[in-house]
Structure formats: C-alpha cells, structure tokens
Amino acid sequence: MRLNRILLSSALVVVALVIQVSVLARLHLPGAVPDLLLLTVLGLAMVYGHVGGALVGFGAGLLADLAPPADHAAGRYALVLCVTGYFAGLIKPENGRLKSATGPMAVVVAAAIGSTLLYAGVGALVGDTAARHVGLPGLLFSAALYDLLLAPFVVPAIMWLARRADNDPLTESGPAAKAGDISSGWLSSGTGLRIGSQRGGLGALKARARTRSARVGRIKGVKRL
C-alpha cells in the first residue's frame, strides 16, 4: 500500500475505534453494538480493492483485539475483519466509483451478518460461548439493523476521503490519470492517431495549402509582367 493510503487508513481506524469504544459501546442498545470499525473497513475496501481491504481489516481487527476493554483472544477480530475486507474489496469497480447505493448497502448487511457468524464460530472454537447466552439470531438481526442505519453516514464519507487521497496530484498514477488515458485511447481507437496529432496534422495541411496558394499567385504575377 502507498504511504497516503496507510496514513489515511490508520487515522480513520483509530478514530473509528475510539468512537466505538467510548460512545457506541456505552449506549447499551439491545443486541449487538453498532460496528463503526467494520463500516470503516468496508468503505476503504470498496476503494482500495481486496488486497488493500484485507490489509486494512487485519490491522483494524488487531488493534481492536489489543485495545481495552477487549476480553477475547488476540487475533480473533483481526481474522474476522481481514476476511470481511477481502470479500468487500472484490466488488470494487475498475474506476473506483460505484453507480448506486444498492451494492454498498447489500455489502453492509452481508458483512454485518457474516462477521457476526464468523466471530461466533471462531469463539466456539476457542471455547467462548457468550453468543449462545445472548442469542445468535438476535445478534444477527440487531447487528445488520444497526450497521445498515449507520452506513449511509459513514461509508460514503470514508470512500470520498479514500478517493481524495488517491487523486492527489503529487502521485505518479491515480484513477483520474488512468481514466484520462482510457478515454483518450477510446476516442482515438480505430484511427491509429491521437487527438493531439490529428489537430497538429490539420494545422500543417492548412499551412501548406496557404503556402502553395501564395506561390501560385506570385508565379502568375511574374508571367503577366
């Protein structure tokens, strides 16, 4: 990952974790807790792709595993967010822009349910049976509901910030530059010439035509004399 992506992802993950631990976890809502960290990983993964999403998810999950008041085995949530970020990054379009909100909202619901199931499954492997006492169906429904309600305020902002960082004019290559190359190549396809060279060729032909007409005028004037 590039430096600007690492810095932006680190800052967003830290802010999301602080808000989730200090604010969202203290709301005492029925069922699950709104997972702001998950939504942050989803927003970054849908811009950075599956590799970047997996890396961001692993780092965010590991930070959540180590940050107090974590009461589970270290690496458990890192595995969950790594897998979630990977699969969320698979829906990234080539130009990094989504045409509608239907896809991201479906990804949020699937990620909320899938991450809860994966977290409970990993917990069952290590002997954590807390999900059984709370009720897994209630956790799944509340997690999907809370994340879906919070997603319109978080995911678009995260994706916008990620695109802004990638569109930095100091970077050598970015989505905007690639889009420009693709569009210019598409416009000049089938001709074998670029637009700039076509304009230059037309200008040269006009200049040659003017020169020839001037020479013909001079020759006719000499003959008349």
Side-chain angles (χ1 to χ4, degrees):
M1 294 179 68
R2 290 179 293 182
L3 181 60
N4 57 343
R5 289 187 174 187
I6 296 175
L7 294 177
L8 178 63
S9 302
S10 302
L12 292 176
V13 165
V14 170
V15 172
L17 181 61
V18 170
I19 295 177
Q20 181 169 333
V21 172
S22 60
V23 178
L24 298 179
R26 297 184 179 183
L27 295 178
H28 301 292
L29 297 173
V33 176
D35 201 338
L36 184 60
L37 194 61
L38 173 65
L39 297 179
T40 302
V41 172
L42 292 179
L44 293 174
M46 285 188 284
V47 177
Y48 294 161
H50 59 284
V51 176
L55 293 175
V56 172
F58 179 80
L62 187 60
L63 184 62
D65 288 333
L66 300 177
D71 56 353
H72 54 267
R76 181 177 172 184
Y77 202 46
L79 174 63
V80 172
L81 288 187
C82 180
V83 175
T84 304
Y86 177 85
F87 284 104
L90 292 177
I91 72 164
K92 173 198 171 186
E94 294 182 358
N95 59 356
R97 296 182 180 274
L98 298 170
K99 297 181 180 180
S100 65
T102 304
M105 293 299 102
V107 171
V108 169
V109 175
I113 296 175
S115 61
T116 304
L117 288 175
L118 184 58
Y119 187 83
V122 175
L125 293 177
V126 298
D128 185 4
T129 59
R132 297 180 182 177
H133 301 289
V134 177
L136 188 58
L139 282 178
L140 294 176
F141 177 77
S142 58
L145 179 62
Y146 296 154
D147 291 347
L148 187 61
L149 294 176
L150 191 59
F153 305 97
V154 177
V155 176
I158 297 296
M159 296 179 68
W160 181 81
L161 289 174
R163 293 195 192 103
R164 291 281 294 183
D166 275 354
N167 291 335
D168 190 350
L170 297 179
T171 56
E172 295 180 358
S173 60
K178 293 180 180 179
D181 295 338
I182 294 172
S183 61
S184 62
W186 177 73
L187 289 174
S188 61
S189 62
T191 61
L193 298 174
R194 295 181 181 178
I195 297 175
S197 61
Q198 289 179 349
R199 291 179 178 176
L202 292 176
L205 290 176
K206 291 180 180 180
R208 291 177 184 177
R210 292 175 183 175
T211 304
R212 290 178 182 177
S213 62
R215 290 180 180 176
V216 171
R218 291 177 183 177
I219 294 173
K220 289 182 178 179
V222 171
K223 289 182 178 181
R224 289 178 183 178
L225 293 175

